[in-house]
Amino acid sequence: MPFRTLDDLLAAGVSGKRVLLRADLNVPTQDGRVSDLTRLERLTPTIRELSAAGAKVIVLSHFDRPKGRRVPEMSLRPVAEALAAVLGRAVGFAEDCIGPEAERVVASMAPGDVVVLENTRFHPGEERNDQALARAMAALGDAYVNDAFSAAHRAHASTEAIAHLLPAYAGRLMQAELEALGAVLGAPKRPVAAIVGGAKVSTKLDLLGNLAGRVDLLAIGGAMANTFLAARGLAIGKSLEEPDLHETARDIIARAEAAGCALLLPQDVVVARELRENAPYEIVPVAAIPADAMALDLGPRTVDDLLARLATMRTLVWNGPLGAFETPPFDAATVRAAKGAAELTAAGTLLSVAGGGDTVAALRHAGVLDRFSYVSTAGGAFLEWLEGKTLPGVAALSG
């Protein structure tokens, strides 16, 4: 999908111009303070480039779910203060994202200044993609830059409608996300592998269905693998599964076979009678899961097979952990597979892209978060892209 980038905007000149930057400042907080700066840190390249070029950088974002009401606890003021600390410079703040207060703050800006406008979701029109709200926000700027891929799956006033009212561009983070995803599913180097884990098949039906027809190897782990094993007639003891999706699982298996996609399901699993840290466990073939036990992780033979196959791949997309990684020793498969993928990436033989759900936490736990080619923090938008869906915030940038 063609879209203009920050390079195009900077080439046209931004000195003294008002640039509305749609960011994702919906960051974790604790006791009124930002507890994870990752999203703010990833936003800084776009802000620094625009500011250095003399733009007046006006940051738009939602925060939490105020449902169109002004909720003091959901103000972006503390986030603006955290952004200032990350940037190492002053960041202004306006008590609203439209109207006289926003206009006053923007009018007082000098070239290079940065301000954050108040939570866009304080207005009910934001989530309705209201044209009037979009026009009021657009009136504050001369150009629009979307650097919030993580919010691009929502057709909201500050992500979709506004992009049709001003010259629109992708920021550095948005550009990196789109290029990374294009590399794994747009025009990938083959063979392509996908690792999909997590608890429920039901949350990833579209994802599995889309990948089965587009990749060469689909490896399924996590509790969702139990549903596939049960659908094949295996007894899985007390393992978490979704009995009503057995037929769906069989359809996905058939779709993969028809597309020539190799499907890797567990050969052996780590089982225990309870899910707790350092619980007694055993490793058994999938055909021998005890009736009173739960499968909580992939076994070593399965991981051996996965790593051997990854060594023949050129591209990998990973979504979801392979076991209950938060509770050792049921993190072994996730950690070992992640480290293996990181080593192949470092060797230059594998392009690895991961994201969505618990994936970031799982890779951080494995100590390889910075060793993959690209790790997305976008969550729902990352998943919807992998499902083959059009993201309104991205489509709007293509004109």
Side-chain angles (χ1 to χ4, degrees), residues 3-378:
F3 55 90
R4 291 181 293 185
T5 71
L6 211 59
D7 293 321
D8 299 300
L9 176 57
L10 293 172
V14 294
S15 183
K17 291 187 177 180
R18 303 167 301 163
V19 177
L20 288 168
L21 173 61
R22 181 47 162 103
D24 186 355
L25 304 183
N26 193 31
V27 295
T29 59
Q30 188 171 9
D31 300 324
R33 297 176 63 87
V34 176
S35 57
D36 186 342
L37 298 173
T38 303
R39 281 186 170 170
L40 303 186
E41 291 166 348
R42 289 192 164 194
L43 179 66
T44 58
T46 294
I47 293 178
R48 291 188 195 282
E49 283 193 65
L50 288 170
S51 177
K56 300 175 182 179
V57 185
I58 306 157
V59 183
L60 288 165
S61 179
H62 71 284
F63 183 75
D64 214 325
R65 296 180 174 87
K67 304 293 185 182
R69 297 176 295 110
R70 183 172 287 273
V71 180
E73 296 77 17
M74 298 180 189
S75 170
L76 277 172
R77 182 182 287 278
V79 185
E81 294 169 356
L83 179 62
V86 170
L87 288 170
R89 55 163 298 161
V91 172
F93 183 73
E95 300 286 347
D96 204 344
C97 64
I98 58 171
E101 173 60 14
E103 292 166 4
R104 181 190 67 77
V105 171
V106 170
S108 69
M109 294 177 73
D113 281 356
V114 180
V115 302
V116 173
L117 304 186
E118 185 57 282
N119 194 342
T120 58
R121 288 187 182 174
F122 281 0
H123 294 271
E126 166 70 335
E127 294 187 80
R128 295 201 302 259
N129 201 20
D130 182 73
Q131 293 293 317
L133 178 60
R135 285 194 295 271
M137 290 188 288
L140 299 171
D142 302 302
Y144 171 78
V145 173
N146 193 336
D147 218 17
F149 178 80
S150 49
H153 58 315
R154 306 299 187 203
H156 290 173
S158 68
T159 61
E160 202 276 338
I162 193 174
H164 300 289
L165 302 175
L166 292 170
Y169 306 83
R172 294 302 185 208
L173 180 56
M174 173 75 82
Q175 181 182 356
E177 294 268 5
L178 295 178
E179 289 176 349
L181 290 170
V184 294
L185 288 184
K189 294 180 180 178
R190 292 194 174 271
V192 181
I195 295 175
V196 180
K200 295 183 177 181
V201 177
S202 55
T203 62
K204 299 190 178 180
L205 287 176
D206 291 342
L207 173 62
L208 292 168
N210 189 45
L211 291 178
R214 302 184 67 171
V215 303
D216 304 292
L217 170 67
L218 176 58
I220 297 177
M224 71 167 58
N226 300 332
T227 300
F228 282 82
L229 295 176
R232 284 188 156 179
L234 292 170
I236 59 170
K238 294 185 177 180
S239 305
L240 178 67
E241 66 141 337
E242 294 172 281
D244 57 329
L245 289 179
H246 287 185
E247 187 60 37
T248 300
R250 287 190 285 268
D251 287 344
I252 291 171
I253 292 170
R255 190 180 308 185
E257 291 175 351
C261 170
L263 188 66
L264 177 60
L265 292 173
Q267 303 167 37
D268 60 341
V269 289
V270 179
V271 301
R273 273 69 184 177
E274 55 182 329
L275 176 57
R276 66 172 174 82
E277 194 165 329
N278 298 319
Y281 69 91
E282 55 187 304
I283 298 166
V284 299
V286 292
I289 298 174
D292 63 343
M294 302 174 286
L296 297 172
D297 199 12
L298 300 185
R301 279 181 49 209
T302 304
V303 180
D304 286 344
D305 189 8
L306 174 58
L307 291 175
R309 296 188 192 215
L310 285 183
T312 69
M313 298 287 139
R314 298 292 306 281
T315 303
L316 168 66
V317 57
W318 185 328
N319 172 253
L322 300 180
F325 77 96
E326 306 96 335
T327 310
F330 311 112
D331 59 343
T334 299
V335 169
R336 190 170 160 225
K339 287 183 175 179
E343 289 169 5
L344 293 169
T345 303
T349 63
L350 186 70
L351 172 73
S352 54
V353 175
D358 294 328
T359 314
V360 175
L363 297 184
R364 182 181 289 114
H365 174 77
V368 299
L369 193 61
D370 298 324
R371 296 173 59 197
F372 271 50
S373 304
Y374 189 81
V375 178
S376 172
T377 59

